[in-house]
């Protein structure tokens, strides 16, 4: 039985891969999945490389835009189904009719 052990990636190559990922604009996990690299392996590389070459490792991209997005207003709205409105109108008319009948008697 032969072992399918993966070849160790040299640190220089690890740094190149990390930089490519971080400059892609994607999250680390998304980039790793797209490039068939285990996320845990990637973060092990980041940890090792940061200890050895902290100045060469850019910060992670958390999926945020460089340009801030404009704020949106949140406003409350009432959603009333047409069906409910018709039912309420019919109920109110029926009640009004009953009140008139009672008032006449």
């Amino acid at each position: 039985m032969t072992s399918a052990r993966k070849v160790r990636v040299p640190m220089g190559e690890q740094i190149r891969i990390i930089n490519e990922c971080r400059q892609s604009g994607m999250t680390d996990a998304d980039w790793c999945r797209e490039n068939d690299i285990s996320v845990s392996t990637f973060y092990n590389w980041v940890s090792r490389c940061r200890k050895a070459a902290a100045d060469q490792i850019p910060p992670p991209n958390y999926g945020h835009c460089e340009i801030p997005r404009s704020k949106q207003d949140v406003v409350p709205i009432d959603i009333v189904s047409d069906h409910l409105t018709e039912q309420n109108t019919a109920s109110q008319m029926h009640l009004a009719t009953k009140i008139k009948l009672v008032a006449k008697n």
Side-chain angles (χ1 to χ4, degrees):
M1 181 173 179
T2 32
S3 173
R5 187 172 180 149
K6 293 187 177 186
V7 178
R8 184 167 174 85
V9 177
M11 186 171 286
E13 180 68 5
Q14 292 174 11
I15 291 171
R16 186 196 66 73
I17 291 170
I18 294 166
N19 282 322
E20 183 179 326
C21 169
R22 298 283 169 87
Q23 292 170 2
S24 72
M26 299 171 70
T27 64
D28 293 345
D30 289 341
W31 188 90
C32 287
R33 280 189 284 273
E34 192 170 287
N35 289 278
D36 296 321
I37 297 173
S38 163
V39 176
S40 60
T41 298
F42 179 83
Y43 284 121
N44 283 333
W45 293 350
V46 170
S47 179
R48 284 190 203 116
C49 293
R50 185 173 285 133
K51 290 175 188 171
D55 61 327
Q56 296 180 36
I57 305 297
N61 182 344
Y62 296 109
H64 301 294
C65 295
E66 297 271 331
I67 303 166
R69 295 183 181 146
S70 61
K71 300 244 179 190
Q72 296 181 354
D73 291 331
V74 177
V75 294
I77 59 170
D78 291 328
I79 300 175
V80 179
S81 167
D82 290 340
H83 178 70
L84 290 176
T85 304
E86 290 170 5
Q87 277 185 332
N88 287 344
T89 304
S91 296
Q92 289 171 353
M93 289 175 63
H94 182 72
L95 182 61
T97 305
K98 280 186 174 182
I99 291 172
K100 285 180 186 176
L101 290 174
V102 171
K104 286 183 180 179
N105 292 333

